[in-house]
Amino acid sequence: MRAFQVTGFDTAPQLVETDCPVPGPGQVLVRISACGLNFADLLMMSGRYQDTPAPPFTLGMEIAGTIEALGPGVTGTAPGTRVAVFAGQGGLAEYGVFDAARCVAIPDMMPDTHAAGFLVAYGTSHVALARRARLGQGERLLVLGAGGGVGLTAVELGAGMGAEVIAVARGADKLEAARAAGARHLLDATEVDLRGAVKDLGGADVVYDAVGGDMFTAALRATNPLGRILCIGFASGTVPQIPANHLLVKNIDVIGLYWGGYLKFAPQILTDSLSELMQMYAEGRIAPHIGATRELGAAAEALGLLKDRRVAGKVVVTI
C-alpha cells in the first residue's frame, strides 16, 4: 500500500510503498477514504509535537473509512461499517489499523470528507466552549484564527450557543467564511488594532485562541473581568508568556485545552461530546467547511496549504 511517511526529522516526508498492516487484539483494519489535516501534523514533521512517535511513521491524525477486518477480541462492530477515527498518526495511507474503541460510526448522510475533518476541529471547540469555558448565552466570544479549520468550528458552535461572536482572521475570504458560520463582528488581523477594536465592541468574555503570540497579548488586554481565555494552540509559532498580575487584577482564568489528552485520563468526555456533535450534524445544526481537498499523491501540497494558512476551513486528503 501507499503511505505518506516521515522517515527522519531532517528530511521531507515522502510517499512510500509499505506492507499493509494486520490488526492486533482490540484493533480493526480500515480502508481509508479521507484524512483531515491538522496543525499538529506540521509539528510532527519536525518532531515538535508532544505526542510525536519515533520515525518512520505515517502522518495523518484523523481519518474516515470503512472497516475491512477485525482483530482478535473485537465485538460490537462489523466489516463494512463506515467509521471516523482519531488515530493520532497513520491517516495518510490506503489502509491503517486502529483501536476499535476509537472508532465512531459515521451517519449515512455524512460524506467521508466531512467525517475526516470533523473529530478534532468540532471536538476541540465543543469541549473547550461547553465544558472548559462554560460559554453562556449572550456572552461575547472572541475567536482568534477564526478562518482556520478549528477556528471556524468555534465560531459556528459559539453562535449556536447564543454567544455574540467576534471573528479575527486574515483576508476577506476567511472573514466571509466566519460570517457565514455565524460571526457578528469581523476583524481583519492585518488591519486593526485588535485590543482597541475588541474593547470598542465591549470587550471579550471568552477568548478562543489557536494562534498565540502577539494576538494572545492583545486579546488578554481586551478581556473583561471574570473572562476566560482558552489556549488551544500556537499557529503563530510563538507561545505567549502570561503576566500573572493581569489575571489577578481582572479575575481572569486562562484555560488549557489539549483535546487528544482526554483519551488518556477521561475518554468518556470525548465520547459523549462526539455523540452530541454527530447528532447535531444529523439534525443539520452544524455544517463542516472543507476549504480544499487533495489526493494522496499531493499530500505535500496539502500540508503546504495548511502551513501557509491559504485556505479557510479544513484541508482534507482523499485516498
Side-chain angles (χ1 to χ4, degrees):
M1 70 170 195
R2 296 179 302 157
F4 192 70
Q5 291 192 340
V6 173
T7 57
F9 298 130
D10 56 348
T11 59
Q14 56 187 310
L15 196 62
V16 302
E17 292 282 343
T18 187
D19 293 334
C20 187
V22 176
Q27 295 182 323
V28 295
L29 174 67
V30 176
R31 176 169 50 85
I32 300 170
S33 55
C35 175
L37 298 186
N38 293 277
F39 186 73
D41 291 309
L42 300 175
L43 297 177
M44 278 193 185
M45 289 166 55
S46 57
R48 293 182 293 136
Y49 189 60
Q50 56 260 32
D51 286 334
T52 302
F57 64 90
T58 300
L59 287 167
M61 300 184 70
E62 56 179 338
I63 65 102
T66 304
I67 294 178
E68 292 276 302
L70 309 179
V74 175
T75 59
T77 190
T81 303
R82 294 175 65 234
V83 293
V85 187
F86 175 67
Q89 59 168 302
L92 287 174
E94 293 175 321
Y95 291 89
V97 292
F98 310 107
D99 290 344
R102 293 197 179 191
C103 296
V104 179
I106 300 173
D108 290 341
M109 77 289 292
M110 180 181 278
D112 290 333
T113 50
H114 282 191
F118 189 88
L119 299 184
V120 173
Y122 277 101
T124 295
S125 293
H126 188 251
V127 173
L129 295 176
R131 185 178 184 91
R132 299 288 280 145
R134 306 171 306 281
L135 179 66
Q137 187 169 359
E139 289 195 301
R140 198 169 294 108
L141 170 65
L142 174 64
V143 180
L144 307 181
V150 174
L152 270 180
T153 64
V155 171
E156 185 179 14
L157 290 173
M161 295 167 69
E164 178 184 337
V165 181
I166 306 170
V168 182
R170 294 174 181 269
D173 289 346
K174 291 187 176 183
L175 288 172
E176 173 56 27
R179 185 204 60 77
R184 188 179 305 181
H185 309 285
L186 307 175
L187 301 178
D188 192 319
T190 64
E191 297 179 356
V192 300
D193 166 22
L194 181 60
R195 177 191 179 189
V198 173
K199 287 180 73 67
D200 287 345
L201 291 170
D205 300 307
V206 174
V207 176
Y208 184 100
D209 179 22
V211 179
D214 292 340
M215 291 182 70
F216 174 93
T217 302
L220 171 61
R221 293 178 177 275
T223 299
N224 293 328
L226 300 180
R228 289 89 73 202
I229 301 178
L230 290 156
C231 291
I232 305 297
F234 313 107
S236 67
T238 302
V239 177
Q241 302 303 302
I242 302 170
N245 60 312
H246 287 234
L247 309 184
L248 181 153
V249 170
K250 297 173 73 174
N251 289 282
I252 291 174
D253 296 334
V254 176
I255 303 167
L257 191 285
Y258 170 36
W259 183 81
Y262 276 89
L263 288 168
K264 299 177 181 178
F265 57 82
Q268 191 62 42
I269 290 175
L270 299 192
T271 300
D272 293 345
S273 171
L274 290 174
S275 177
E276 184 176 345
L277 287 164
M278 287 293 184
Q279 183 63 34
M280 292 169 66
Y281 181 94
E283 294 172 355
R285 293 161 55 195
I286 53 177
H289 185 100
I290 307 301
T293 60
R294 295 291 187 273
E295 295 183 353
L296 181 59
E301 179 187 348
L303 286 162
L305 293 175
L306 181 66
K307 180 180 179 181
D308 296 338
R309 290 183 266 181
R310 296 192 302 232
V311 174
K314 289 286 288 191
V315 179
V316 174
V317 174
T318 57
I319 313 299

